[in-house]
Amino acid sequence: MGGKFRDLKLKAAATWLIFFLGPYLRWDGSQAVLFDIPNRKFQIFDITILPQDVWLLALILLFFAILLAAITSVAGRVFCGYFCFQTIWTDAFTKIEELLEGSPAKRRKLDKAPWDARKIRIKVIKHSAWLSIGFLTGFSFSAWFTDAYQLWIDVLTLQASVFIYVMLLVFTLGTYVLAGFMREQACFWLCPYARIQGVMYDTETILPTYDIARGEPRGKLTKGNVVEGNGDCISCNQCVAVCPTGIDIRGGQQEGCITCGLCLDACDSVMDKIGKPRGLIRYASMNEMKGIEVKPLHKRPRVLIYLGIIAFAVTGLLYGLTHLGTFDLKVIHERQPLFVQMSSGDFQNKYELKILNKTDKVMNVSISVTGTDNITTKGIREKMSLAPSKLTSFTVFLSIPKKDLKKSRTPVYFTIDSYEEFDDSTEYQSMFYGPKYLD
């Protein structure tokens, strides 16, 4: 059965093409989006996220979690009805089954029929199609974590790791069982979101709602006409027949409702046929059905709290992405001892420099130290190369003549300047320690 919500559902399902096609997008000669866990880095176009920037991933997870809560508070489980992979995959499996075996009545008849060449052919094609979708699901998931093109070569030539084959097997069988056999039962018994949705609703949440005042009392059509005194609901049960989870929305909001709107399409089509206005089942809030004024979103405290958290996450992400830089510098002062006086009378401090190259290319840098006159460095090369996406660590000694050291603590500044392909610099302030009698 068609309808505007069924069409919207199909368009929403198209967003999953990103999941299947995204790994094949190339950028600057490599995979555009790659979550390279073995090498501990995430590559997103020109952005490289290393373990030191993992807080960005935390903000991304926070953003999507609160976004889901905000959407649920406003419009119920629309994610389940329009975007959830279980819903989309189940629709695809059901469509294949319908094309090959026909309507539910024909499918039941085929299941009861003896096994002949025709039945075997239909069943083999159907289950092969299901398994193929499951395999593509597992392969597409794996392709986000390694080069997609190389993965095809490794899998087809049996050169992939055991982990890859296990992953493909798990996703293939998991998709096959969940979408092919469990279907809506996965929503009832396995999905945690279905269990917690109730605490996200309030009386202003928009949900598929049956207009009791208009529809009751129900009554069958008599010779094509509605019986006088009956409501607009003619007990055709089309809303139940099209519901993916098989609930009767006329009994009120229930755990199984995934807010997909298919019952709205079914009811509207029936209303068109009997000459009644649409909207017997429609998206509405409890307050609207009771005639209570519906508050705009900016006056709903729960929504404002969600939006505030989302704004915080987005702000943090934008700040992080614009301040990643090309490298990161940390300077660790040796604590034992804080300083050493050389035979020449000069004071010497020891430091551990840690430089992280955040790019995927070799970076050429120069290091300088400032802070006071006549600083002598040992262990610093004028020019050095940093390996891509690696942490380079080395020891540096600084020496300052006694006559130039005026205090027991003198700020010193380590500056890194990159040249050639990258043009960037960063500075780190540390301390040079001397004896306390200098104060």
Side-chain angles (χ1 to χ4, degrees), residues 1-7 242 260-270 278 281:
M1 181 178 293
K4 65 178 181 180
F5 294 107
R6 167 62 75 178
D7 294 340
V242 299
C260 64
L262 297 186
C263 56
L264 280 69
D265 283 338
C267 187
D268 285 346
S269 67
V270 173
R278 293 185 168 198
I281 301 175

Side-chain angles (χ1 to χ4, degrees), residues 70-71 73-75 202 204-206 294-305 307:
I71 292 173
S73 176
V74 173
D202 56 30
E204 294 179 323
T205 302
I206 299 173
V294 178
K295 295 179 182 178
L297 293 179
H298 67 274
K299 291 186 178 181
R300 295 173 58 181
R302 180 181 298 191
V303 175
L304 291 177
I305 292 173
L307 292 179

Side-chain angles (χ1 to χ4, degrees), residues 338-357:
L338 282 175
F339 64 91
V340 173
Q341 187 168 18
M342 313 297 288
S343 58
S344 62
D346 295 351
F347 290 99
Q348 178 177 277
N349 284 199
K350 181 181 178 182
Y351 303 84
E352 186 77 15
L353 266 64
K354 297 181 181 294
I355 308 174
L356 175 65
N357 180 359

Side-chain angles (χ1 to χ4, degrees), residues 344 346-349 351 369-370 372-380 396-401 404 412 414 432:
S344 62
D346 295 351
F347 290 99
Q348 178 177 277
N349 284 199
Y351 303 84
V369 182
T370 57
T372 188
D373 296 332
N374 300 319
I375 294 180
T376 304
T377 64
K378 187 184 298 184
I380 293 180
V396 174
F397 295 92
L398 298 187
S399 298
I400 299 179
D404 294 315
V412 289
F414 292 81
F432 188 95

